[in-house]
Each structure stands twice: as C-alpha cells, then as structure tokens.
Amino acid sequence: MESYAETAAVIGLKFYLVPVNVMNHKLLSDEQLEKEMQGKMAQVAMAVQDEERYFTLVSGHRIPAVGLGTWRSGSQSDDSVFTAIVEAGYRHIDTAAEYGVHEQVGFGLQAAIKAGIRREDLFITTKLWCSDLSPDRVRIALNNALQELQVDYLDLFLIHWPFHLKEGASRPPKEGEVLELDMEGVWREMEKLVKENLVRDIGISNFTVKKLEKLLRFAQTMPSVCQMEMHPGWRNDKMLEACRKNGIHVTAYSPLGSSEGGRDLIHDEAVQRVAKKLNKTPGQILVRWAIQRGTSAIPKSTHSERIKENIGVFGWEIPNEDFEALCRIPNQKRVLSGEDLFVNKEAGPLRSVADVWDHED
C-alpha cells in the first residue's frame, strides 16, 4: 500500500508533517490521519474539477466551459435558467436582446440568487443587436439589457452580427435597410463600458476572419470572446484558428447542430457510435467535443433532464481516435447562414450567403 506521502505526491500535493495533538503531545491516530488525508485529496479533486469547468480569457477573467443557451426558449426561459443554475450547476447563461427573453431570463436569475447563488459566481452574456449597432445606441442598449435582466453589470457583451440594420428592418431586408456600419465607433463605446465596470468583457459573434482582422487594427481593448456556430458538422476551422492566433477565446453556439436547420447531429451515426462506446448521451459527446477543442459551449434546452445531461461532461474525455473520427464528419455546412436576416438578392449590399461570410467558406 502506498504511504500517505506517496499518495499526496501522486495527486500533486505538497506533503506536510503530520499534525500533532497539542494537548496530549501525540500524533494523530491512523484513523484520524486517514480522514484528514481523504479530506485533502477531496479538496484537490474538487479544485481540479473546478479548473476543468472554466477557460481563462485574455482579460484574466474566467468563462464557464458550459453555459445555457436561451435562443428560442420563449416563456420557458425563467424556469430553464433556474433549473440550470440551481439544480444542474450551470454558472453561465447566454442570451441576447434579439431573442426577446431578457425579462424571463432576469426572473430566472433573480430566483436563483434568492435560492442562495451569488451574482458574482454567475457569468451572464448578452448581445448588441444590429439595429443598435451605432455609437449612439450602444449605451442605451446596454442599459435596457441591465434593466430587463435585473443585474447591474454584464460579464460579457457581444456584437451579435457585424451588420447595421435600420430599426424595424424586414426579413430579409428591403433596399436601404442594411446601413453603413461604424465598427470603430461602436467598439470605442463598448470599450468605455469596460472602463466604467458596467461590462467585464466585450467580444464578437458571427464574424469572419476579414472582419476580425479589421477590428484588431483599431481595438484598444481586445475582444475576449468570439461566439460562432461550431459543431462536428460545421467545424469552422478558419475562424477558430484566427481566434487562437490572437488569443481570443471561442464559444461554440448550436453545439448539438439542429434538426430544424438540416444538421441533426444527435442522430448522426458517428456521434451515436461514440456515445454508445462511452456510455454517454449524444448531447454529452457533442458538448465534450467542443470542450476538447478548447472552446466553451452553450447548448440550448428547455427540458430539465436534458439541461442536466448537457453539463455532465466533466471528469472524462473522448479518446483521441473517436475525437478525430468526429472531426472527419463530412458535408460540412452551417445551420445558421444569416440568409433570412441579411440577404436581399435584388438590392445589396448582401446579395448572397457568401457575401455575409466574405466568401471565406
């Protein structure tokens, strides 16, 4: 049997002298010593697991590896948020003004806080919608978000899409409804929010490499996060590599794919094969795949059991051969192309999906 010192060395603890019972000047009994070492080992195991649950941003702040997405959660958002935080242990909630669920998310957050969760332990992300993508609208949009979410600061504020739409623009937009974007002016206003401690980190979503490079030429505060669609059916390798090169953390949205979007990865043969081999759900395999790529993930669900399942991705790994098999899934395509939001085939500036993505795919 290993000595306590050897056991401690294995788990990376510095081994200290056995405590002395000051009253009787005797060493602790074997039973007491065993309990003490088990307690220390449990603390180290918890610390290791805690570290696995977070990624560190360029700002030094930490983002949880798994968050709850709230797109299309509707009136169930408050219950989903409460379940995720209080019952399932989530600490990251991702939402957006455009989802129309800020108030419901806010109710869920406040219920969780009343149940004993500290606000400072939560990571709340929301996004600046396209009709607010002008310098004079940034602060107004933030204040509205804070009020609706019932919080006094955000952990992360993202540019939702890098296109400026006229207020009330049609889908797809009519001629003249896609406006010129003052990206530098918008980013300057977002940087001010960080300086004023209204937002801890700022970032981007649905960018291309070309647009990211343009932003980096004038950014005084680096984007901490880039949120992109990413899953084995759309690896988005170019954008992932560009972010890695610049120290920008990536959050994968739609990590499970989408049956509505024509990419039902939950029932993909390769995903199901790995899930069966590891005795995990397909959803867990897909979220774990994202984490092993070095990205956080924000799976969306309004079903309590699935919410709990989707965060059961710590303390185990997908073996390398299976991970690589998932990376080789063919027929790569986006679930969310942005066509219905931005493309007007008769009147530009965006006349095709390729235009939306700067012809980089």
Side-chain angles (χ1 to χ4, degrees), residues 98 128-134 137 163-168:
E98 180 61 11
L128 182 67
W129 182 241
C130 301
S131 56
D132 290 319
L133 212 53
S134 61
R137 291 289 306 171
F163 303 107
H164 184 194
L165 292 180
K166 184 178 180 180
E167 185 75 35

Side-chain angles (χ1 to χ4, degrees), residues 49-50 52-54 62-68 79-93 112 117-118 121-123 297 304-314:
Q49 188 180 57
D50 180 71
E52 184 186 21
R53 289 174 175 265
Y54 292 87
R62 298 195 307 167
I63 185 171
V66 180
L68 177 74
D79 289 337
S80 298
V81 167
F82 181 84
T83 296
I85 296 172
V86 176
E87 299 179 22
Y90 286 69
R91 291 297 177 264
H92 181 188
I93 302 299
I117 305 298
R118 301 188 307 168
D121 292 334
L122 298 175
F123 192 101
S304 60
E305 289 309 310
R306 287 186 200 146
I307 288 172
K308 294 170 185 176
E309 283 179 359
N310 288 341
I311 201 172
V313 294
F314 302 108

Side-chain angles (χ1 to χ4, degrees), residues 172-216:
K174 297 176 182 176
E175 185 173 2
E177 291 186 335
V178 179
L179 308 175
E180 184 177 349
L181 171 58
D182 178 7
M183 179 65 76
E184 183 171 359
V186 167
W187 195 253
R188 288 283 173 265
E189 292 302 311
M190 294 179 72
E191 290 175 327
K192 290 177 185 177
L193 301 178
V194 176
K195 292 176 182 176
E196 295 172 26
N197 296 317
L198 293 171
V199 174
R200 299 189 81 198
D201 284 275
I202 52 178
I204 56 179
S205 180
N206 298 306
F207 266 50
T208 60
V209 175
K210 178 181 178 180
K211 290 183 174 69
L212 173 60
E213 290 175 344
K214 178 181 178 180
L215 172 62
L216 295 179

Side-chain angles (χ1 to χ4, degrees), residues 254-306:
S254 296
L256 311 184
S258 170
S259 56
E260 295 176 11
R263 202 68 211 235
D264 183 7
L265 292 173
I266 293 293
H267 296 97
D268 183 90
E269 183 180 339
V271 175
Q272 292 210 326
R273 183 170 61 248
V274 176
K276 184 176 181 180
K277 175 181 175 180
L278 300 182
N279 195 28
K280 303 294 181 183
T281 68
Q284 289 171 331
I285 294 299
L286 291 164
V287 173
R288 183 69 212 184
W289 179 86
I291 293 172
Q292 285 184 218
R293 276 187 112 202
T295 69
S296 52
I298 46 172
K300 171 258 174 181
S301 181
T302 56
H303 302 283
S304 60
E305 289 309 310
R306 287 186 200 146

Side-chain angles (χ1 to χ4, degrees), residues 1-8:
M1 181 177 176
E2 290 179 327
S3 69
Y4 290 120
E6 289 170 337
T7 302

